[in-house]
Amino acid sequence: MSAPAWRQFFSFNKYSQIAARAVRQSLNETERVAAEKRGLTDVRYQKWENGKGGEQVLLNPKET
Amino acid sequence: MLARRSVIRLATQPAPLGVAPSGARNMATLRELELRLKSVRNIEKITKSMKMIASTKLSKAQRAMQNGKQYGIANQEVFENAKPEEAPKRKLFLVISSDKGLCGGVHSSVSKATRRAIADSPGSPIAIVGDKSKAQLSRALPNNLTITFNQIGRDVPTFADAAAVADLIAKSGVEYDVVEIVYNKFVSALSYESGVMQVPGEETFKETAGFKAYEMEEEVTKDLAEFALANAIFATLTESHACEQSSRRNAMDNASKNASDMIGSLQMQYNRGRQAAITNELVDIITGHGDWKTLYAIVRT
């Protein structure tokens, strides 16, 4: 089997996070609520060049 | 009013040059003391409540740390069996701290450890989790920074946070042989120390005897390296988080103790000052130097 299709788009970590999200959403009500908390992340990052920081970017922008 | 009468009394005696009349000073310091007392009392309330909050967060953080450590241990098993032959050359430093202050020396400890570690390989790129260390290291080593993260550590860190950091490091295209994660190790609820965890990169794995013994499918080593990095980041994030909560609890505990000591001594000073002022007033009345208006007012109350 040649490389699976997802490899062109994202890394293994992203792949495992997507799979984890699918598993969490398939849980029953109470377990799902508890598990959703483990999948939350508000990480922001900022690239630096020559000692200067760039813009802060939200990894998962909140859909409002 | 009090000052005026005391000034009149003291004007009859020559006062040393440059010294304010003691009555006037007492009046000013009494009000000053009262304000200080009020503000220190408020500070003590705040630090006490912060200590309570940090204590409850600490128990939760410690449980998460115990779970997170398992990920680090799983990593170590693989690394033990796949040791690289030569010392790694290109290092990427990942500094774990957080965004919030008032937690004792956790951030400085990690920043200092990074500066010590990077002395051997000055040009190495640095990635930082947490605004506090970012502020310190951007002053000391600004040209080494490649990418920084924040908004981690407000609550117990999740594996999603760790995976996001690992993913962004991989996407940023930094080349490395090993990632040196600088974090705080939890020694006890009262103390912590800085430590470094090494995570080899994909190339390093490929060169080890352990891996060369097997025929590897194409991308598996890369996946393992990235996932191992996420595991290590999760283990160090949870441990550093626990250190931060314990350090904040201790710092707020010390602050509350200091504040209550200050309240005690300020209260004594205030009472002494108040009693001295009352004594002065009584002396004025008895010796008859006071004006009839004040005498009348005091007699009426």
Side-chain angles (χ1 to χ4, degrees):
Chain A
M1 188 175 74
S2 69
W6 57 266
R7 277 206 193 277
Q8 313 161 31
F9 301 108
F10 40 73
S11 70
F12 178 75
N13 278 322
K14 189 86 181 122
Y15 170 68
S16 76
Q17 288 305 298
I18 295 174
R21 193 179 64 195
V23 171
R24 279 186 215 115
Q25 283 170 347
S26 63
L27 283 170
N28 270 329
E29 200 47 48
T30 43
E31 281 94 3
R32 186 174 60 80
V33 168
E36 291 287 334
K37 295 205 187 88
R38 291 196 288 267
L40 292 175
T41 168
D42 284 326
V43 171
R44 283 193 324 186
Y45 67 96
Q46 187 185 23
K47 296 229 165 99
W48 285 65
E49 299 277 337
N50 297 325
K52 290 259 178 219
E55 278 252 333
Q56 296 255 8
V57 184
L58 259 175
L59 193 56
N60 307 320
K62 294 223 185 317
E63 297 112 40
T64 44
Chain B
M1 174 184 68
L2 201 61
R4 204 172 356 111
R5 276 191 287 118
S6 313
V7 165
I8 292 169
R9 180 161 53 93
L10 283 173
T12 57
Q13 310 151 8
L17 277 174
V19 172
S22 68
R25 189 173 54 217
N26 276 343
M27 175 65 166
T29 50
L30 258 189
R31 199 161 291 161
E32 231 174 59
L33 276 175
E34 213 175 309
L35 286 173
R36 276 198 83 188
L37 205 47
K38 204 166 75 152
S39 94
V40 177
R41 279 210 185 100
N42 284 341
I43 288 177
E44 200 228 357
K45 283 200 193 105
I46 293 173
T47 54
K48 237 190 208 162
S49 72
M50 283 188 77
K51 177 190 159 194
M52 287 290 114
I53 294 174
S55 307
T56 49
K57 281 194 175 173
L58 175 61
S59 46
K60 198 170 159 205
Q62 266 187 280
R63 276 197 308 270
M65 176 182 77
Q66 294 302 96
N67 292 337
K69 269 189 163 162
Q70 302 303 319
Y71 289 73
I73 291 172
N75 264 357
Q76 287 306 115
E77 277 298 319
V78 176
F79 300 163
E80 286 301 305
N81 291 314
K83 281 216 159 69
E85 264 114 57
E86 15 167 274
K89 289 190 206 65
R90 297 173 301 177
K91 299 187 186 177
L92 165 65
F93 287 92
L94 175 59
V95 182
I96 308 279
S97 76
S98 85
D99 303 339
K100 299 255 169 79
L102 290 181
C103 49
V106 279
H107 307 303
S108 320
S109 133
V110 142
S111 303
K112 275 193 202 129
T114 311
R115 291 172 70 176
R116 273 198 306 264
I118 207 173
D120 297 326
S121 36
S124 311
I126 302 180
I128 307 181
V129 174
D131 287 332
K132 290 289 166 182
S133 273
K134 177 175 85 175
Q136 291 169 355
L137 288 173
S138 67
R139 276 194 305 260
L141 304 158
N143 292 318
N144 296 56
L145 300 191
T146 47
I147 185 169
T148 59
F149 309 88
N150 53 19
Q151 308 295 330
I152 294 183
R154 308 181 109 211
D155 203 351
V156 176
T158 60
F159 194 82
D161 291 326
V165 171
D167 190 35
L168 282 165
I169 289 179
K171 273 209 294 230
S172 74
V174 178
E175 305 224 331
Y176 57 87
D177 292 327
V178 70
V179 181
E180 308 241 334
I181 306 184
V182 187
Y183 67 110
N184 283 309
K185 286 200 220 186
F186 191 85
V187 172
S188 78
L190 294 169
S191 76
Y192 58 88
E193 60 179 12
S194 59
V196 180
M197 189 186 273
Q198 268 115 355
V199 182
E202 181 197 353
E203 303 301 326
T204 325
F205 271 132
K206 284 196 176 141
E207 296 303 311
T208 62
F211 272 66
K212 280 197 201 158
Y214 297 86
E215 195 175 299
M216 290 294 184
E217 245 184 45
E218 286 202 3
E219 305 272 354
V220 168
T221 318
K222 184 154 87 93
D223 286 348
L224 176 67
E226 288 176 2
F227 190 60
L229 181 59
N231 279 346
I233 294 178
F234 182 60
T236 52
L237 270 178
T238 47
E239 196 161 358
S240 293
H241 180 77
C243 290
E244 184 195 333
Q245 296 304 333
S246 84
S247 177
R248 181 169 293 127
R249 199 195 64 109
N250 295 336
M252 290 298 107
D253 189 27
N254 287 337
S256 305
K257 273 200 204 110
N258 292 342
S260 32
D261 288 345
M262 275 179 83
I263 288 175
S265 76
L266 278 175
Q267 190 72 53
M268 286 292 120
Q269 259 185 292
Y270 178 72
N271 286 340
R272 271 201 302 269
R274 200 171 47 88
Q275 286 159 6
I278 290 174
T279 311
N280 286 342
E281 260 188 80
L282 283 173
V283 165
D284 280 345
I285 294 165
I286 291 166
T287 59
H289 273 176
D291 53 11
W292 68 271
K293 251 193 249 172
T294 9
L295 177 58
Y296 197 48
I298 289 171
V299 164
R300 286 183 75 191
T301 50

